[in-house]
Amino acid sequence: MRIGEVLNLTPADIQERTLAVQNPKSGRVGETVYVPRKLLVRLNDYVRANNFNGGERIFQISYVAAWSMVKKAGKLVDIELRPHDLRRHAATYASRSGTPIEIVSKVILRHADLSTTQRYLGKVNDSEAIRWIETLYG
């Protein structure tokens, strides 16, 4: 999810296997995000423990505060990190773990066009290409 989408989550957005996205970048009404059950359990536990009502934002911080937290986390491990880097990392990790590009594009990143995802993931270097060829056909 994009950081702005996460920051706008309310308890009412938590569904059985998905999170509803309010005001997604795509503009599509009723957009949902599939998330691991483990994450939904933790999120529900957090909501219950903090007695949030249905329309109250779960993460009551600003975009700037979230951005700052991610930057600080990056400094702890000596890398320059921005919130969008986390989204890019999730997509790259999924792709390089063998997840079909269509799933990375349509489900994980929620891109309307596969070419956007292909630009997003960047080019494959020679050593990676050789490793995949060996894995697939070796």
Side-chain angles (χ1 to χ4, degrees):
M1 293 179 72
R2 293 171 182 87
I3 193 72
E5 295 168 345
V6 171
L7 293 177
N8 285 322
L9 284 174
T10 67
D13 296 328
I14 303 171
Q15 299 163 8
E16 188 174 329
R17 288 291 294 153
T18 62
L19 294 172
V21 179
Q22 305 303 319
N23 303 315
K25 184 178 177 183
S26 69
R28 291 187 299 253
V29 177
E31 192 165 333
T32 60
V33 176
Y34 295 96
V35 293
R37 186 174 309 280
K38 187 179 193 178
L39 185 127
L40 287 172
V41 168
R42 287 182 177 175
L43 191 56
N44 273 315
D45 289 348
Y46 180 77
V47 166
R48 273 192 295 278
N50 289 283
N51 297 316
F52 290 108
N53 67 45
E56 190 176 6
R57 281 187 19 212
I58 297 170
F59 305 107
Q60 298 180 2
I61 61 172
S62 68
Y63 180 86
V64 173
W67 209 91
S68 178
M69 290 168 67
V70 172
K71 287 287 278 184
K72 281 183 184 178
K75 284 182 182 179
L76 290 174
V77 293
D78 202 27
I79 60 171
E80 188 170 328
L81 189 61
R82 298 167 308 213
H84 203 72
D85 293 332
L86 302 175
R87 181 173 160 82
R88 183 175 291 112
H89 172 75
T92 302
Y93 178 78
S95 175
R96 294 192 176 157
S97 295
T99 304
I101 189 78
E102 295 85 355
I103 298 297
V104 173
S105 182
K106 301 293 182 185
V107 177
I108 296 172
L109 296 175
R110 300 180 344 268
H111 286 158
D113 193 317
L114 193 61
S115 65
T116 304
T117 304
Q118 290 167 324
R119 279 193 318 273
Y120 201 94
L121 294 176
K123 296 186 176 10
V124 174
N125 63 40
D126 290 345
S127 62
E128 188 174 4
I130 290 167
R131 182 177 61 83
W132 276 103
I133 291 300
E134 289 299 325
T135 300
L136 291 170
Y137 304 110

